[in-house]
Amino acid sequence: MSIDDDIWSQAPGLSFENEAAVETRLIVPLLRALGYNETDHIVPKYPVMFQEGRKGRRPEADFVVFAERPHSRATSLVTVEAKHPNEELSGGKEQGESYAANIRTPLLMITNGRCIQIWQYQPTYESELVLDCSVIELPAQRGKIEAILAREAILAYARTMRHKSLGLLARDLGAYERAEFERGDGAGIAISRRLKNMGSGSCEVASTNLLTNYPDGAALLAASGYGKTTLACELRRQALEKRWSGESSRLPVEVFLPDLVSHRESLEIFLCTRVAAHCPQVSLSAFRDCLREDGIVLLADGFDRVPVEHQPVIESALVTFRRDFPNTQLFLFTRAISCPKRLALPSVELLELNGDEQHDLVERCVLTEGYTGASFWYCAPSILRKLCRHPLILQLTLVLYKEQGQLPRQIEPLFQAWLDRLLPKSLPLARRTELKRLLTSFANATVNGPLSEDAAVELVRSEGFSDDLLQSLLDADALTQRGTTVELQHEALADYLRALDVVKHTLADVTLRLKKLPLLEGSQLPALLMAFAKSAEMQRLVWREVISADITAAMGALRYRADLSPDSNAADPAGLSRDCLSEILQGIELPLQVHFPRLASRIQFDLVGSDTQRLGIIGTIEPKSGHLSYSFVACGQGEDQVKVGQAVNANSSYGMHLTAMGLRLDSGRLIGMSHIRDGLLKLVKERRLDGGIVWAEERTLGRLRHLVHNYDFPYVSGMSLEQARDLLIPSTGSRVMLGALRAGQTFEIDDLVAEIEFLITEGRTHLDPWWGTVDAFDLDNPEGRTRLGELLDMYYRRTQLAYREVVETSFPLLASRFPLYQVMPVRYEIEIESHHRRGYPSETLHWRWMPVATFDQAGATVVFPSEVSDMRSEAALGAYRQRIDEELARLGRCVPNLHYTLGQKAIPNFDNGFSIFGAQVDETVVVHATSAHIEEDLKFLFRELPTSDQEALGLAGIGSDVLF
């Protein structure tokens, strides 16, 4: 007789040394004796996902008992918590109760091997203790325990509960629902993930809240390898849980959008076919009735994998479907670069893994994949943990650790390990080589999307491969056949093979091949190419193409580049110096030419100290110490741009200890890009950016005012621009600079004269300050409030106009990357609060904004409430976000990096007779605000640039406004 059969009589004599013994020798045998089995009913270490998120180790119930498969909240019966024999049960009730509430089990059992408690969970009041006995009393309490916990007894009780849906197969669509709940399709391990509206800052939404927070759906955006398909699978399961519990009637249906390309029927027919495959009794008419009455959660995956020429057709099909079936909740999964605009869905970004999510995923892998324990991850180097913010890289790291017993130090082994899993080394060498060649051919052929089945077969035969190789790749899951299309298992794997294929060719062929590949932000290809380019010349070619295609992708690629720093003991100092200096120059010249052509000469001027058509660099590096010193110089035509040595009479010199700064001997491009970033921020600080009429008016007003206040310039209000210009002409060639002991402005008189002439050409004759005479505002009377409201309205309108001019003139090629530019024009909603919090009467300006159609509508609406509105509660922030999303959708404005901002500030000092933080003396408030916006945008643009090779993922801040 086994212990399971006689647990009732044997339990009083059992002793337990630890919690694991309580689980294996008491709980499991007792559950078996009560009619449950491990295959269908008993699930150990069941993950508990709390919607609000929790810090530290992610929770899991020791056991959950289910009525049947699928194992869901709709079929859960008992939560079981085990304690150490030395622990009292009193401390386990609150935790177990929170688990039972989350999993929705009506009963909670807690035991430490000495005592057993059974609680009947009550969601609205204190749970009821229905059994409390010692294990010694188990035989005497058998009848009572069976009456409560035996399978048939609890099934009868559960059927009386509204949120329990036992017997799913008896439902009209039960066969489909059950199959969809248990279908995995190779999706990764699901954990609760963080998301946010694109660029929305610190206020995040958990993946467990998506169905609730976005009732109409959303576009879920993420780069390759971030877990879009896994999230789609998890949302399908969540939607089924809600349907079974009665929270929602919507039926979840998942579709891989590339399958629609070859489908000739309408979308609803395609979806009906999916359901009817499991439920043949469902007719198209009945399915359409279901769509109208119950609604649908449509999980549309792989929009970015649809060939570009077919994307408008698929987008139109989705638009039509939502129009015909308004009770549709559509979640579209794609890369940001391919996000469709006509669907008017809020864009939600799947974030990289934070520390809690990494630990959660590691612990889930430990449970499901048979690792020896999770302690290895807590000892992992910080650099590796930062790299593993990318979900796919973390999963590859865990696989490599399981197979090799150590954590990787480079990116290449991670992908090689992935390929080795698909094409194991146990295969004969010739066959493995052929399979890899064919897989590479598929990778190159699917750059623009999956292949049809016919095209896949044609590719195999046209390149001389046998048909059985294609089937071998499908069987190995290296290729995936989804519907009528074929592609690699994952786009990241395809990028890996494409990168390997590129770098193995001659340098002459590399450039042509690179031009055919997608090197934009969101693809892993730029980083992989830099990781696999193992020669300086190959990295130079890769860098040239990547930086020409996408500046953000290029900065990200610098994180993963192969280490080409030579052995300092064997290196030739002169050759090493030349290589490093050349890379610094490469990190400056091409990015300036491609992305900042309007400002390139100014940044070069600042580096050299004089005008130059060609930038040169001279310096040296000490290989052993890692000390680098260099200067930028003007370089004539035909002259070598890179020289080893020390510059004579250089405008400025730079020195750094590479090792101390976490840099390598081959970090030249990173250093060069840092010069561009710092140079752009200097141009902003000195207000040396080009704009249009409004920017010229504001900057000229401030500069003339500064000359009057500090240099006795004889300009007076009312003087014409021509008169002002004539007064300045004798001083051309001069420069106004900051004083050694005082603040001020920096500008060339020639530039001021040129700007005045520009305004004259544009028809301006005088410059009258738009703010007029500003005295203290008496906010106790209507006139003072009206006057302040008018000034703030003008201030916010002119700031946006000036900002637009500067962005479109100075940064035309990158305007779409600037967060504020994407949402403008906007109108600010301002509440003025009077208070005495500082011990004296003062006012605080509380602001938010809303998109508007035209710049004529831009500005500010100002009110003076007796009590400031709630702007920062979770409910208020949610409503604010929703208003912005709805208005942007109505205006047809696609915003991939949306920043929801609000804040508070003092009332602007329109006269600006003194310097405020970050402002130049005497400049106008519009120039200051515009420059502050541009500075934030540039910091956001350069957020991917590593600060060093040891902290490659450090991000620059993006400003001080409140983002959520």
Side-chain angles (χ1 to χ4, degrees), residues 381-605:
S382 60
I383 297 175
L384 179 62
R385 291 201 300 271
K386 288 182 178 180
L387 180 62
C388 287
R389 289 173 179 172
H390 192 296
L392 177 63
I393 301 301
L394 175 55
Q395 293 185 50
L396 292 175
T397 298
L398 295 176
V399 170
L400 198 64
Y401 176 83
K402 182 180 179 181
E403 294 175 352
Q404 300 183 4
Q406 62 181 7
L407 292 168
R409 297 183 179 180
Q410 296 177 326
I411 191 173
E412 185 172 5
L414 301 176
F415 287 90
Q416 185 60 52
W418 190 3
L419 189 62
D420 288 343
R421 278 194 301 155
L422 301 174
L423 307 178
K425 293 183 178 180
S426 59
L427 290 172
L429 177 61
R431 185 168 183 82
R432 187 172 187 273
T433 301
E434 276 198 314
L435 287 170
K436 183 177 178 181
R437 285 176 51 219
L438 178 56
L439 200 57
T440 302
S441 297
F442 268 94
N444 290 330
T446 55
V447 168
N448 297 318
L451 297 180
S452 67
E453 293 173 338
D454 291 341
V457 173
E458 182 180 349
L459 172 68
V460 172
R461 294 174 179 173
S462 66
E463 299 203 6
F465 294 104
S466 61
D467 290 350
D468 74 298
L469 284 179
L470 173 58
Q471 191 58 49
S472 295
L473 291 176
L474 290 168
D475 292 342
D477 203 27
L479 289 178
T480 299
Q481 187 175 14
R482 302 181 69 174
T484 60
T485 59
V486 179
E487 63 178 335
L488 269 75
Q489 180 198 70
H490 200 289
E491 184 65 7
L493 179 63
D495 281 342
Y496 168 67
L497 292 170
R498 292 165 190 153
L500 287 178
D501 188 53
V502 166
V503 299
K504 76 179 183 182
H505 285 82
T506 63
L507 295 175
D509 292 335
V510 167
T511 300
L512 292 176
R513 288 180 170 271
L514 288 174
K515 291 185 181 300
K516 298 177 182 179
L517 295 174
L519 302 177
L520 302 178
E521 181 184 8
S523 168
Q524 295 188 61
L525 193 52
L528 289 166
L529 285 165
M530 289 295 285
F532 301 150
K534 299 300 176 66
S535 70
E537 186 63 17
M538 184 67 75
Q539 280 202 0
R540 184 187 68 81
L541 291 177
V542 170
W543 166 259
R544 174 174 291 276
E545 295 304 318
V546 172
I547 191 64
S548 298
D550 190 289
I551 188 171
T552 303
M555 288 187 286
L558 289 176
R559 298 173 176 174
Y560 304 104
R561 72 191 190 282
D563 186 355
L564 302 186
S565 53
D567 182 352
S568 59
N569 294 320
D572 167 35
L576 180 60
S577 297
R578 175 171 290 276
D579 291 343
C580 184
L581 297 173
S582 297
E583 289 186 3
I584 294 175
L585 207 57
Q586 292 166 22
I588 296 175
E589 283 193 306
L590 192 58
L592 283 180
Q593 295 168 12
V594 173
H595 301 290
F596 307 99
R598 180 89 178 214
L599 305 177
S601 61
R602 297 175 199 183
I603 291 179
Q604 290 184 173
F605 177 93

Side-chain angles (χ1 to χ4, degrees), residues 229-298:
T229 298
T230 300
L231 179 57
C233 179
E234 183 59 21
L235 286 182
R236 183 182 74 233
R237 294 169 62 91
Q238 290 178 23
L240 284 168
E241 294 263 21
K242 285 181 174 289
R243 180 171 164 87
W244 293 339
S245 67
E247 295 179 61
S248 171
S249 61
R250 285 170 167 162
L251 179 73
V253 182
E254 187 178 0
V255 57
F256 184 56
L257 291 176
D259 289 347
L260 286 176
V261 173
S262 59
H263 192 74
R264 300 181 181 276
E265 304 292 343
S266 63
L267 178 56
E268 61 262 33
I269 295 177
F270 182 88
L271 298 176
C272 180
T273 304
R274 286 285 325 279
V275 176
H278 299 278
C279 304
Q281 78 279 9
V282 176
S283 66
L284 179 59
S285 177
F287 182 69
R288 285 173 172 163
D289 288 342
C290 176
L291 293 178
R292 295 187 183 97
E293 296 171 9
D294 293 346
I296 183 175
V297 180
L298 181 54

